[in-house]
Amino acid sequence: MTATTLQSLDVCNDALILVESGQINSITDPSTPKEVICARMYDLTIADLMSRHDWTFVNKLRQLQVDAGKTPDFNYTYAYRLPSDLVAGPFAVYAEANFDTAASDYRVQDDYVHADYSRVDVLYRASGADPSTWPAYFRAIATVALASRLAKPIAANVDLQEELRIEAFGNADGTGGGGILQTAKRLDAQTKPVRSLFANGDPLTTARLGGLGAWPYQNYKLPE
C-alpha cells in the first residue's frame, strides 16, 4: 500500500490493528456491527481533526470549468462552477493563468464564479476527506485518534482507550494539543507560506464584494 492508494478503509484497519481487533471489509457499505462502528467513528474523528488546525494540504489551486447550462449573473460572460469538494473560499481567483496577481473583476454567487475571463483558477479549502492526499504526519494522528475511539466500543478496553488518547492528544480526554497532534501541527506549519491566508481580511467576503487584490499564498507551489 502506498500513499497514493491510501483509502478510508485502510485507515480504519490500521486503527483496528492498534486495538488488536480483526480487519473489516467496508465502511462505505457496512454490513457488520464492527463496520458500522468504524464508519461512524471514522467520520467523527476526521471531522474533529480537520477542525483542530488550518492544515495546508487541504488548500488547493484548481482551474474551473465553464457550466454551459448556467446563465451567468451580473452581466458577465461565463459562469464557472466551483469545485464540489470546496468547504471554504475561494480565497483567491486568478484570470488567464496569471498567478502573480489575483483577479478583481468577478463575482461569487452560490456555487459559481461569474467573470469575463476565458480561464479562471481558484485557491480554496477542500474537504480533506480523501486519505490519498494526506501527508504521513496527518495519517499518523488520524490512525491513533481513530484507534482511541474504537478501543472501548470494539475492544472493550478503557485502559487502552486512555493510552491511545494520550498518545494522540497528550491527555486522556482528547481535548489536548499535545502528543502526535502537536507533532503533526508543527510539521504542517513548516509548509505554510509566510503571509497569512487572511492578511487582507476575510477573503470570501472580499471576493463577494468584488475580488481580492493580492495573492495570499506568495510561496504556494502550483500543482504539476
Side-chain angles (χ1 to χ4, degrees):
M1 180 176 63
T2 66
T4 57
T5 61
L6 181 67
Q7 300 297 324
S8 304
L9 181 62
D10 301 317
V11 179
C12 289
N13 280 328
D14 287 346
L16 288 171
I17 291 174
L18 296 181
V19 300
E20 299 180 348
S21 180
Q23 307 290 276
I24 59 174
N25 296 317
S26 176
I27 60 171
T28 57
D29 185 24
S31 60
T32 68
K34 183 188 292 188
E35 290 177 346
V36 171
I37 292 171
C38 287
R40 296 185 65 174
M41 292 300 100
Y42 174 86
D43 289 341
L44 182 62
T45 299
I46 301 308
D48 173 60
L49 291 176
M50 286 296 174
S51 71
R52 289 176 181 250
H53 181 66
D54 181 20
W55 302 102
T56 58
F57 65 88
V58 296
N59 294 321
K60 294 183 179 181
L61 183 65
R62 177 176 295 179
Q63 181 180 351
L64 301 185
Q65 300 299 314
V66 173
D67 187 341
K70 170 68 175 177
T71 300
D73 294 331
F74 315 108
N75 294 318
Y76 282 116
T77 306
Y78 305 104
Y80 293 90
R81 180 177 285 278
L82 289 168
S84 59
D85 61 348
L86 181 147
V87 295
F91 302 130
V93 174
Y94 300 94
E96 317 298 357
N98 176 14
F99 301 106
D100 294 327
T101 305
S104 59
D105 185 12
Y106 67 93
R107 292 288 294 274
V108 177
Q109 181 73 22
D110 299 325
D111 295 328
Y112 293 89
V113 173
H114 303 267
D116 289 327
Y117 308 118
S118 60
R119 171 173 170 168
V120 164
D121 295 76
V122 296
L123 178 68
Y124 70 100
R125 175 81 38 79
S127 66
D130 181 4
S132 68
T133 67
W134 296 351
Y137 55 80
F138 189 83
R139 178 184 175 186
I141 179 59
T143 301
V144 178
L146 178 58
S148 73
R149 292 185 182 273
L150 298 178
K152 182 178 180 179
I154 288 182
N157 192 330
V158 177
D159 292 337
L160 179 59
Q161 179 185 54
E162 181 174 341
E163 177 185 331
L164 289 167
R165 282 183 177 170
I166 293 174
E167 182 180 356
F169 302 110
N171 65 1
D173 64 6
T175 61
I180 298 176
L181 177 63
Q182 183 180 41
T183 301
K185 291 167 68 173
R186 184 178 69 249
L187 291 172
D188 190 70
Q190 294 175 2
T191 68
K192 282 185 179 295
V194 175
R195 296 186 62 186
S196 169
L197 179 65
F198 297 99
N200 298 313
D202 183 342
L204 181 56
T205 301
T206 306
R208 290 184 182 277
L209 294 178
L212 290 169
W215 164 246
Y217 270 85
Q218 295 286 358
N219 298 326
Y220 189 87
K221 183 179 179 181
L222 300 180
E224 297 178 355

